[in-house]
Amino acid sequence: MTILVIVWLLPLYWMLVTALSAPGVVAAGRQPVLPDAPTLQGVRTAVGEFPFLTWVANSAAIAVVAVAANLVMSLLAGYALAKRRFPGRAAASVFVLATLTVPAEVLLIPQFDLVASIGWVNSFWAVIVPRAADAFGVLLARQYMLSIPDEVIDAARVDGAGELRILLEIVLPLCRPVIAVILTVSFMYRWNEFAWPLTALPDPDRATLPVGLSFLQGQYATDYPTLMSGAVLSVLPVLVLFIAAQRAFVSGLGAQR
């Protein structure tokens, strides 16, 4: 486990060291294991000379709305597939599972044609709506809700509770671990997504943070401390979210076994 931790943390450590190093040291290929004179010049350059805060605001707005929509849709669809009895329920579950085999790159052109026909190019809705639900969240919620005893839900129905009340007052309180998993994974995916925002939001002022970081790479030379400073800042929100939801996240993943 220690070896695995070192392997996983080494790129993050090297990114941090590069961000704290002077540009001349990195360009000369003399980057030490520890920066000789740590400097925040890369952070000041990324924030001061580029619209970094605009990129952060764009990513935050898209991620928060898309994650909220995805969480609602995943829980509703997961509940229907797990606890509602209707013709074709098994086929619907298999169909949702089959969509996971479709690469996201295959959908770029049809999705762009669709949002262009609606007039959503350069609109945040072009990135939010196609990501408002995904098969991973639906299947994760369904699998977790299958572990909830049907007798509990049937007893609530006998007492006169409607489906919405059963979902809100009985099912969801039992689903906190899986909600944490969906929330964390969905936010991480939306926050780091690159290809689709690059395609749907060609205006640099509407660029998300991963797309904006690509602007820090020069055509002939790259200021790596500035680039790595932006990368470090982009990692912080995901890291904070994971630490805050770590216990529920691990519990939710363990419950899927």
Side-chain angles (χ1 to χ4, degrees):
M1 292 297 295
T2 302
I3 295 175
L4 290 176
V5 169
I6 293 175
V7 171
W8 280 102
L9 291 183
L10 183 60
L12 297 177
Y13 172 77
W14 202 253
M15 181 174 66
L16 181 61
V17 171
T18 304
L20 295 177
S21 300
V25 175
V26 179
R30 297 184 290 103
Q31 183 179 6
V33 177
L34 292 174
D36 296 330
T39 175
L40 295 178
Q41 181 59 41
V43 176
R44 289 192 289 267
T45 302
V47 176
E49 298 183 11
F50 295 90
F52 190 85
L53 296 181
T54 300
W55 300 337
V56 172
N58 294 342
S59 290
I62 291 173
V64 169
V65 177
V67 169
N70 181 49
L71 185 62
V72 172
M73 296 296 292
S74 297
L75 293 174
L76 290 175
Y79 175 75
L81 293 175
K83 296 302 180 183
R84 294 289 296 168
R85 298 178 179 86
F86 57 90
R89 183 178 68 168
S93 300
V94 172
F95 177 78
V96 173
L97 178 62
T99 61
L100 290 175
T101 64
V102 181
E105 292 76 13
V106 175
L107 304 177
L108 285 178
I109 294 178
Q111 281 185 352
F112 185 81
D113 288 340
L114 179 60
V115 298
S117 65
I118 301 175
W120 279 357
V121 175
N122 254 336
S123 170
F124 289 158
W125 294 115
V127 182
I128 294 173
V129 173
R131 303 293 186 262
D134 61 48
F136 174 79
V138 172
L139 293 174
L140 199 64
R142 171 188 176 273
Q143 197 66 23
Y144 191 91
M145 291 178 184
L146 285 175
S147 64
I148 299 176
D150 292 337
E151 292 78 9
V152 176
I153 297 176
D154 292 338
R157 288 179 179 141
V158 170
D159 290 339
E163 295 300 326
L164 183 59
R165 185 177 180 182
I166 293 174
L167 177 63
L168 295 178
E169 297 185 9
I170 298 178
V171 177
L172 292 190
L174 299 174
C175 292
R176 290 176 183 174
V178 77
I179 290 175
V181 174
I182 296 174
L183 181 66
T184 305
V185 174
S186 180
F187 181 84
M188 182 174 61
Y189 178 76
R190 270 74 185 174
W191 184 263
N192 294 325
E193 190 175 18
F194 177 80
W196 178 237
L198 177 65
T199 305
L201 303 173
D203 187 352
D205 292 334
R206 292 185 172 270
T208 58
L209 187 53
V211 177
L213 290 179
S214 66
F215 297 153
L216 303 183
Q217 301 181 30
Q219 183 176 1
Y220 301 106
T222 299
D223 184 355
Y224 285 104
T226 299
L227 177 61
M228 292 304 169
S229 296
V232 169
L233 294 176
S234 70
V235 168
L236 291 180
V238 179
L239 185 61
V240 170
L241 177 62
F242 178 78
I243 293 175
Q246 180 181 13
R247 180 174 298 179
F249 181 84
V250 175
S251 175
L253 286 181
Q256 301 304 311
R257 298 179 178 178

PDB file of all heavy atoms in Angstrom, residues 90-105:
ATOM      1  N   ALA A  90     -36.525  -4.608 -16.616  1.00  0.00           N
ATOM      2  CA  ALA A  90     -35.231  -5.269 -16.794  1.00  0.00           C
ATOM      3  C   ALA A  90     -34.562  -4.825 -18.097  1.00  0.00           C
ATOM      4  O   ALA A  90     -33.352  -4.582 -18.130  1.00  0.00           O
ATOM      5  CB  ALA A  90     -35.402  -6.786 -16.781  1.00  0.00           C
ATOM      6  N   ALA A  91     -35.349  -4.698 -19.157  1.00  0.00           N
ATOM      7  CA  ALA A  91     -34.793  -4.252 -20.441  1.00  0.00           C
ATOM      8  C   ALA A  91     -34.272  -2.823 -20.342  1.00  0.00           C
ATOM      9  O   ALA A  91     -33.233  -2.479 -20.916  1.00  0.00           O
ATOM     10  CB  ALA A  91     -35.849  -4.360 -21.539  1.00  0.00           C
ATOM     11  N   ALA A  92     -34.978  -1.969 -19.604  1.00  0.00           N
ATOM     12  CA  ALA A  92     -34.529  -0.595 -19.425  1.00  0.00           C
ATOM     13  C   ALA A  92     -33.198  -0.550 -18.681  1.00  0.00           C
ATOM     14  O   ALA A  92     -32.303   0.233 -19.024  1.00  0.00           O
ATOM     15  CB  ALA A  92     -35.586   0.210 -18.683  1.00  0.00           C
ATOM     16  N   SER A  93     -33.042  -1.404 -17.671  1.00  0.00           N
ATOM     17  CA  SER A  93     -31.783  -1.453 -16.929  1.00  0.00           C
ATOM     18  C   SER A  93     -30.637  -1.906 -17.822  1.00  0.00           C
ATOM     19  O   SER A  93     -29.535  -1.354 -17.770  1.00  0.00           O
ATOM     20  CB  SER A  93     -31.925  -2.385 -15.726  1.00  0.00           C
ATOM     21  OG  SER A  93     -32.934  -1.950 -14.844  1.00  0.00           O
ATOM     22  N   VAL A  94     -30.906  -2.908 -18.658  1.00  0.00           N
ATOM     23  CA  VAL A  94     -29.867  -3.396 -19.573  1.00  0.00           C
ATOM     24  C   VAL A  94     -29.511  -2.314 -20.591  1.00  0.00           C
ATOM     25  O   VAL A  94     -28.341  -2.122 -20.937  1.00  0.00           O
ATOM     26  CB  VAL A  94     -30.345  -4.674 -20.286  1.00  0.00           C
ATOM     27  CG1 VAL A  94     -29.359  -5.084 -21.378  1.00  0.00           C
ATOM     28  CG2 VAL A  94     -30.518  -5.804 -19.285  1.00  0.00           C
ATOM     29  N   PHE A  95     -30.515  -1.567 -21.046  1.00  0.00           N
ATOM     30  CA  PHE A  95     -30.265  -0.502 -22.020  1.00  0.00           C
ATOM     31  C   PHE A  95     -29.392   0.598 -21.410  1.00  0.00           C
ATOM     32  O   PHE A  95     -28.456   1.095 -22.044  1.00  0.00           O
ATOM     33  CB  PHE A  95     -31.589   0.092 -22.501  1.00  0.00           C
ATOM     34  CG  PHE A  95     -31.424   1.236 -23.458  1.00  0.00           C
ATOM     35  CD1 PHE A  95     -31.113   1.004 -24.784  1.00  0.00           C
ATOM     36  CD2 PHE A  95     -31.569   2.545 -23.029  1.00  0.00           C
ATOM     37  CE1 PHE A  95     -30.947   2.062 -25.670  1.00  0.00           C
ATOM     38  CE2 PHE A  95     -31.411   3.605 -23.903  1.00  0.00           C
ATOM     39  CZ  PHE A  95     -31.093   3.359 -25.227  1.00  0.00           C
ATOM     40  N   VAL A  96     -29.686   0.979 -20.179  1.00  0.00           N
ATOM     41  CA  VAL A  96     -28.869   1.995 -19.503  1.00  0.00           C
ATOM     42  C   VAL A  96     -27.443   1.489 -19.336  1.00  0.00           C
ATOM     43  O   VAL A  96     -26.472   2.231 -19.553  1.00  0.00           O
ATOM     44  CB  VAL A  96     -29.483   2.353 -18.135  1.00  0.00           C
ATOM     45  CG1 VAL A  96     -28.552   3.284 -17.360  1.00  0.00           C
ATOM     46  CG2 VAL A  96     -30.835   3.016 -18.320  1.00  0.00           C
ATOM     47  N   LEU A  97     -27.293   0.223 -18.977  1.00  0.00           N
ATOM     48  CA  LEU A  97     -25.965  -0.359 -18.828  1.00  0.00           C
ATOM     49  C   LEU A  97     -25.222  -0.377 -20.165  1.00  0.00           C
ATOM     50  O   LEU A  97     -24.012  -0.107 -20.217  1.00  0.00           O
ATOM     51  CB  LEU A  97     -26.078  -1.774 -18.273  1.00  0.00           C
ATOM     52  CG  LEU A  97     -24.774  -2.553 -18.088  1.00  0.00           C
ATOM     53  CD1 LEU A  97     -23.877  -1.845 -17.080  1.00  0.00           C
ATOM     54  CD2 LEU A  97     -25.069  -3.988 -17.629  1.00  0.00           C
ATOM     55  N   ALA A  98     -25.935  -0.640 -21.254  1.00  0.00           N
ATOM     56  CA  ALA A  98     -25.301  -0.709 -22.573  1.00  0.00           C
ATOM     57  C   ALA A  98     -24.755   0.642 -23.017  1.00  0.00           C
ATOM     58  O   ALA A  98     -23.774   0.708 -23.773  1.00  0.00           O
ATOM     59  CB  ALA A  98     -26.296  -1.231 -23.610  1.00  0.00           C
ATOM     60  N   THR A  99     -25.346   1.737 -22.554  1.00  0.00           N
ATOM     61  CA  THR A  99     -24.856   3.056 -22.954  1.00  0.00           C
ATOM     62  C   THR A  99     -23.462   3.345 -22.415  1.00  0.00           C
ATOM     63  O   THR A  99     -22.760   4.217 -22.948  1.00  0.00           O
ATOM     64  CB  THR A  99     -25.812   4.159 -22.475  1.00  0.00           C
ATOM     65  OG1 THR A  99     -25.897   4.137 -21.037  1.00  0.00           O
ATOM     66  CG2 THR A  99     -27.200   3.957 -23.054  1.00  0.00           C
ATOM     67  N   LEU A 100     -23.040   2.615 -21.376  1.00  0.00           N
ATOM     68  CA  LEU A 100     -21.693   2.807 -20.847  1.00  0.00           C
ATOM     69  C   LEU A 100     -20.622   2.341 -21.821  1.00  0.00           C
ATOM     70  O   LEU A 100     -19.456   2.730 -21.703  1.00  0.00           O
ATOM     71  CB  LEU A 100     -21.533   2.052 -19.520  1.00  0.00           C
ATOM     72  CG  LEU A 100     -22.313   2.600 -18.326  1.00  0.00           C
ATOM     73  CD1 LEU A 100     -22.141   1.688 -17.125  1.00  0.00           C
ATOM     74  CD2 LEU A 100     -21.841   4.006 -17.979  1.00  0.00           C
ATOM     75  N   THR A 101     -20.993   1.496 -22.788  1.00  0.00           N
ATOM     76  CA  THR A 101     -20.023   0.987 -23.754  1.00  0.00           C
ATOM     77  C   THR A 101     -19.787   1.956 -24.900  1.00  0.00           C
ATOM     78  O   THR A 101     -18.910   1.721 -25.733  1.00  0.00           O
ATOM     79  CB  THR A 101     -20.495  -0.357 -24.323  1.00  0.00           C
ATOM     80  OG1 THR A 101     -21.722  -0.172 -25.060  1.00  0.00           O
ATOM     81  CG2 THR A 101     -20.739  -1.371 -23.206  1.00  0.00           C
ATOM     82  N   VAL A 102     -20.565   3.036 -24.982  1.00  0.00           N
ATOM     83  CA  VAL A 102     -20.426   4.004 -26.072  1.00  0.00           C
ATOM     84  C   VAL A 102     -19.384   5.042 -25.675  1.00  0.00           C
ATOM     85  O   VAL A 102     -19.573   5.761 -24.689  1.00  0.00           O
ATOM     86  CB  VAL A 102     -21.763   4.689 -26.383  1.00  0.00           C
ATOM     87  CG1 VAL A 102     -21.601   5.681 -27.536  1.00  0.00           C
ATOM     88  CG2 VAL A 102     -22.826   3.652 -26.729  1.00  0.00           C
ATOM     89  N   PRO A 103     -18.291   5.175 -26.416  1.00  0.00           N
ATOM     90  CA  PRO A 103     -17.270   6.187 -26.063  1.00  0.00           C
ATOM     91  C   PRO A 103     -17.842   7.597 -26.193  1.00  0.00           C
ATOM     92  O   PRO A 103     -18.642   7.888 -27.090  1.00  0.00           O
ATOM     93  CB  PRO A 103     -16.154   5.936 -27.091  1.00  0.00           C
ATOM     94  CG  PRO A 103     -16.398   4.559 -27.620  1.00  0.00           C
ATOM     95  CD  PRO A 103     -17.883   4.350 -27.559  1.00  0.00           C
ATOM     96  N   ALA A 104     -17.419   8.467 -25.278  1.00  0.00           N
ATOM     97  CA  ALA A 104     -17.921   9.846 -25.300  1.00  0.00           C
ATOM     98  C   ALA A 104     -17.524  10.572 -26.583  1.00  0.00           C
ATOM     99  O   ALA A 104     -18.256  11.442 -27.067  1.00  0.00           O
ATOM    100  CB  ALA A 104     -17.400  10.599 -24.078  1.00  0.00           C
ATOM    101  N   GLU A 105     -16.355  10.204 -27.161  1.00  0.00           N
ATOM    102  CA  GLU A 105     -15.901  10.877 -28.375  1.00  0.00           C
ATOM    103  C   GLU A 105     -16.831  10.635 -29.555  1.00  0.00           C
ATOM    104  O   GLU A 105     -16.941  11.481 -30.452  1.00  0.00           O
ATOM    105  CB  GLU A 105     -14.488  10.405 -28.735  1.00  0.00           C
ATOM    106  CG  GLU A 105     -13.410  10.836 -27.753  1.00  0.00           C
ATOM    107  CD  GLU A 105     -13.423  10.032 -26.469  1.00  0.00           C
ATOM    108  OE1 GLU A 105     -14.110   8.984 -26.434  1.00  0.00           O
ATOM    109  OE2 GLU A 105     -12.747  10.433 -25.506  1.00  0.00           O
TER     110      GLU A 105
END
